[in-house]
Amino acid sequence: MHVLVTGGAGFIGTSFVRMILRDRPGWRVTNYDALTYSGNLENLSEIEGNERYSFVKGDVRDAQLLDEVLPGVDAVVHMAAESHVDRSIMDSGPFVDSNTRGTQVLLDAWRRAHGVDRRFVYVSTDEVYGTLPLEDKNALFTEETPLQTNSPYSASKAGGDLMVRAYHHTHGMDVVTTRCSNNFGPWQFPEKVIPLFVTNLLDGKKVPLYGDGRNVRDWLHVEDHCEAVLTVLEKGRSGEVYNVGGNNERSNLELTHSILSIMGHGDEMIEYVKDRPGHDLRYAIDASKIKRELGWEPTRSAWPGALEDTVSWYTENRSWWERVRSGAYQSYYETQYG
Ligand code: NAD
Ligand code: TYD
């Protein structure tokens, strides 16, 4: 099996590439990535030289390059995307371009290379469902929940998601889509809330908590997500969508308190800042379909142990995050209000 992973130099992509090489001994992986600000080959330094691994610096919007690369490939796992909500608020153009149009260009190239029979997995997000109310604790996103995007990021991901659906319906392409909740773990770009807060604290800075901190996210360890994507690639039913979640809901305030407590700080390190515009209140996933049909469930996300391990990783890998956040990097809060 030869899998091409788009976005394989990003946070989830690097974890996925490592997992394939570790857990699927007969497989080959091509990592196809444009190396935007969040793509970092340093994250994969330990597999450089592995003869089952190759890297192609390429953009998913580059049809010509895709036509050269895709013919020898058995399956595509499409993870490449502009991934940060706050950046999409500042400038949504690159999001539509990479996430929606890029997915269409890649689907067309995949169909040119192999017709409709080879598998294409689209790594979507639970954010395409919009938001749940805080009041109704039992409400969950299911695969039947209508797509009601609220941020330019989620709208651009939904554009790709719907394009994938359309290529199955219209052309009969073998596609499967995953919609996953918030990931955490090592090698996450320190603009996302967990690595941002941990690295701020390691630098003696306060953590910028948006609004009143009541917004809720469902936290899943990145390796659990990668295991789900691998399961869907191998066993998912063509044309289906599978929700992926950790059943691990935390308000941002609870999350912040956990991080502060693990790192030995108190509430004085919280800086309540202006809320994110359009901030979705609550994401929560019904992941019963993937468990029932494919037997997947999270095994690495147990709280607070998995969070403690993640904090330790950033504590021990200061040189990594200092390098990735050097140069032009500023958090959204600093850019907007700092
Ligand atoms: P990331 O920003 O860390 O990585 C994205 C990768 O895509 C980078 O390596 C970047 O260089 C590459 N890329 C961006 N635009 C590209 C283009 N036009 N052509 C080729 N490569 C390009 O993001 P992530 O957190 O690893 O997310 C990966 C995927 O998972 C995304 O599709 C995202 O929507 C989805 N997802 C993320 C989460 C999460 O919590 N991080 C949750 C659910 C779904
Ligand atoms: P984020 O990691 O950006 O993921 P997403 O927006 O895709 O869920 O943010 C997670 C939550 O943390 C979200 O509710 C916004 C909040 N947040 C803050 O309170 N402060 C911050 O500086 C950031 C980046 C996020």
Side-chain angles (χ1 to χ4, degrees), residues 156-173:
S156 69
K157 286 295 292 182
D161 192 313
L162 292 172
M163 201 56 81
V164 167
R165 175 191 157 90
Y167 274 56
H168 177 74
H169 188 81
T170 303
H171 301 298
M173 278 181 84

Side-chain angles (χ1 to χ4, degrees), residues 83-86 125-127 153 182-183 188 191-197 207-211 213 215-217 219 252 255-256 273 275-276 279-281 283 331-333:
S83 66
H84 192 40
V85 173
D86 291 330
T125 163
D126 64 349
E127 301 190 28
Y153 162 68
N182 286 62
N183 285 212
Q188 186 169 31
E191 62 185 353
K192 307 286 179 0
V193 72
I194 291 180
L196 177 71
F197 281 16
V207 299
L209 187 58
Y210 294 165
N215 306 64
V216 171
R217 298 293 183 264
W219 291 101
N252 291 337
L255 172 71
T256 305
V273 299
D275 207 356
R276 171 189 281 173
H279 195 173
D280 281 338
L281 282 173
Y283 303 144
S331 76
Y332 173 76
Y333 177 72

Side-chain angles (χ1 to χ4, degrees), residues 7 9-13 32-36 38-39 58-61 79-83 98 123-125 153 157 180-183 188 192 225:
F11 163 52
I12 300 170
Y32 185 95
D33 196 298
L35 298 182
T36 69
S38 67
D59 198 297
V60 291
R61 295 163 292 183
M79 298 193 175
E82 290 292 336
S83 66
S98 275
V123 178
S124 190
T125 163
Y153 162 68
K157 286 295 292 182
C180 186
S181 61
N182 286 62
N183 285 212
Q188 186 169 31
K192 307 286 179 0
H225 183 193

Side-chain angles (χ1 to χ4, degrees), residues 82 87-98 151-153 156:
E82 290 292 336
R87 285 179 190 258
S88 81
I89 295 167
M90 293 190 278
D91 183 8
S92 60
F95 286 74
V96 176
D97 219 29
S98 275
S151 74
Y153 162 68
S156 69

Side-chain angles (χ1 to χ4, degrees), residues 1-5 16-17 19-30 50-54 74-75 77 119 226 229-235:
M1 177 79 141
H2 178 187
V3 184
L4 180 131
V5 180
F16 188 68
V17 167
M19 183 173 281
I20 290 185
L21 293 173
R22 187 189 66 208
D23 296 347
R24 296 293 181 276
W27 290 23
R28 284 169 54 208
V29 190
T30 295
N50 186 319
E51 58 188 23
R52 294 188 289 123
Y53 170 73
S54 55
D74 299 309
V77 175
R119 179 139 287 193
C226 291
V229 173
L230 200 47
T231 304
V232 161
L233 168 64
E234 293 181 308
K235 300 197 278 186

